[in-house]
Amino acid sequence: MKSLLTLIDLVKTGIIWTRLTVHNTWGILNVFNIVWVKPMKGGLLTEDHPMVTGLNPETNQPIWTQNIVFQSVRSQEYQDAPSDEEIVCDVGNYMRKMVENSAQSKKYPQGKPDRMPPAINYIHGCVHYNGGFLIFNDFKDAITHFSHPEFQASFKRFVKEEKREPVTIFRNRNYDRVEFLEFVCFLRTIFPWFSNTNGNKKRIGWGNPAPYPAVNTITGHWMTDTYKIYTETGRQTVCRKPIEKQYFAHKVYFGVRSVVKPQEQFLARFTDERVVARGAKGNLFFVDLRKLSRGYKFDPAKGLPNIFERLMEKVLKVNSL
């Protein structure tokens, strides 16, 4: 019986991983489109746009604290740590600054030269302003909650009804990097959406720098918001009101486990080895880390590179730097 249950569990895992791969491929194609095929221009957002300021125009207060959808009970270990409001504002403000780099200003009408193309920064704008935040003590705490069927159902209902990107943040900044990647692979095994490891320590997996360990579970709703930024009408309507509905009925959920499974550990090792095998290209997929390391910046004022220039670099080995 135990072997049968294990087999069923592995089959379910395979199905979710397949769905995740298909879903993530569609997301990759859309990012490729707005970065290389139809590059989003810099300066599309003004300095006072809510995605640039991070402020709710109705209250003139940071939007992020108004979009916290779940907070686990803070353990004694983190009683002296910054408040959840401070933590979520640090994470939100970090992404806000990325958007600010691509916003128009008197000195930079088309946005500042930046390591990231405007499209990537705009995506982060949609995530930080419209996203919903969940806060936990550590990975064990999060697994205990996420492994509860009711918690999973509430999480899915939030995504389905709100059509927003969820961001899971941890109070513990002194985390184990491998455990972080394993937690993310746990999420990739219970949900058909890609999740990444953003944090304040050395990168692992496909993660990026962040002031706290923060996982963006990429549900795909960023696409609807980001494409709106192409038009003036869209830019006026892209920012959504704070989340009002309560999706999680309880403060504490005791799930079926607090540790990862072997297949999740396998996926973590595979992910890490895949990134390491890329060598100098690192874990950046849409931009060339080798060029960034040599000082390259995307400069909207001088024109953004497009798919044809990208092909020249790839096929003819013509390098712009």
Side-chain angles (χ1 to χ4, degrees):
M1 177 61 73
K2 184 177 180 180
S3 298
L4 178 59
L5 292 176
T6 300
L7 178 60
I8 293 174
D9 189 46
L10 290 175
V11 170
K12 289 181 179 178
T13 295
I15 293 173
I16 292 177
W17 284 358
T18 300
R19 291 175 59 195
L20 182 151
T21 300
V22 172
H23 182 271
N24 194 48
T25 299
W26 176 240
I28 289 172
L29 290 174
N30 276 272
V31 176
F32 190 82
N33 178 49
I34 62 178
V35 171
W36 295 107
V37 179
K38 189 183 177 183
M40 298 187 78
K41 299 177 181 179
L44 293 178
L45 299 177
T46 58
E47 286 182 298
D48 60 351
H49 192 279
M51 281 190 180
V52 180
T53 65
L55 302 177
N56 177 355
E58 295 182 357
T59 63
N60 205 36
Q61 296 297 315
I63 188 69
W64 311 301
T65 58
Q66 301 170 57
N67 282 336
I68 297 175
V69 296
F70 184 81
Q71 298 164 268
S72 73
V73 176
R74 181 175 287 235
S75 66
Q76 187 63 37
E77 183 179 357
Y78 304 107
Q79 290 302 314
D80 296 329
S83 68
D84 288 350
E85 289 73 19
E86 291 175 294
I87 292 173
V88 76
C89 282
D90 278 350
V91 173
N93 195 49
Y94 185 88
M95 290 188 280
R96 180 201 67 79
K97 290 179 180 178
M98 294 180 66
V99 191
E100 187 177 42
N101 286 336
S102 294
Q104 60 178 264
S105 63
K106 291 182 179 179
K107 185 175 181 180
Y108 299 101
Q110 298 180 57
K112 301 175 184 176
D114 192 50
R115 286 167 56 88
M116 291 293 113
I120 297 296
N121 290 336
Y122 293 147
I123 291 174
H124 283 80
C126 296
V127 172
H128 89 73
Y129 196 91
N130 291 339
F133 297 93
L134 301 89
I135 305 175
F136 298 93
N137 292 311
D138 50 31
F139 309 135
K140 182 178 180 179
D141 182 32
I143 293 175
T144 300
H145 285 76
F146 271 106
S147 64
H148 194 291
E150 185 180 339
F151 190 92
Q152 289 184 28
S154 298
F155 186 82
K156 291 177 180 177
R157 187 168 64 252
F158 161 75
V159 172
K160 181 180 180 180
E161 294 183 8
E162 294 289 340
K163 294 179 171 54
R164 302 177 187 243
E165 298 290 335
V167 180
T168 302
I169 306 174
F170 298 92
R171 300 178 181 111
N172 178 23
R173 298 182 77 244
N174 188 28
Y175 56 91
D176 181 280
R177 293 169 58 252
V178 173
E179 289 180 2
F180 191 15
L181 184 56
E182 290 177 347
F183 168 75
V184 161
C185 290
F186 155 74
L187 290 182
R188 294 182 197 167
T189 303
I190 63 174
F191 299 121
W193 303 308
F194 186 83
S195 291
N196 54 15
T197 46
N198 308 309
N200 53 284
K201 290 191 174 184
K202 182 181 178 181
R203 300 184 190 196
I204 188 168
W206 299 104
N208 295 300
Y212 283 84
V215 179
N216 176 207
T217 298
I218 305 172
T219 64
H221 293 301
W222 65 267
M223 299 181 209
T224 302
D225 291 340
T226 305
Y227 276 110
K228 286 182 179 180
I229 298 176
Y230 271 116
T231 68
E232 179 60 35
T233 301
R235 293 191 285 273
Q236 293 176 3
T237 60
V238 65
C239 290
R240 301 173 59 182
K241 292 182 179 296
I243 300 167
E244 296 181 349
K245 188 172 181 178
Q246 180 71 37
Y247 286 92
F248 298 90
H250 309 291
K251 291 185 177 180
V252 178
Y253 292 80
F254 293 102
V256 297
R257 58 187 172 118
S258 61
V259 296
V260 296
K261 294 180 178 180
Q263 59 263 42
E264 294 155 357
Q265 292 176 319
F266 164 79
L267 181 58
R269 289 194 301 271
F270 174 80
T271 301
D272 186 45
E273 290 173 3
R274 182 185 174 197
V275 172
V276 171
R278 288 169 56 85
K281 291 187 291 185
N283 69 343
L284 296 184
F285 198 76
F286 301 103
V287 297
D288 193 330
L289 180 59
R290 295 166 297 183
K291 292 176 64 175
L292 297 183
S293 299
R294 296 194 296 269
Y296 177 82
K297 290 187 177 182
F298 292 85
D299 189 348
K302 296 181 179 179
L304 296 169
N306 55 43
I307 184 62
F308 300 107
E309 294 174 27
R310 181 73 165 171
L311 289 174
M312 289 285 285
E313 287 188 355
K314 291 288 186 180
V315 178
L316 302 179
K317 307 300 180 182
V318 176
N319 203 319
S320 59
L321 184 65

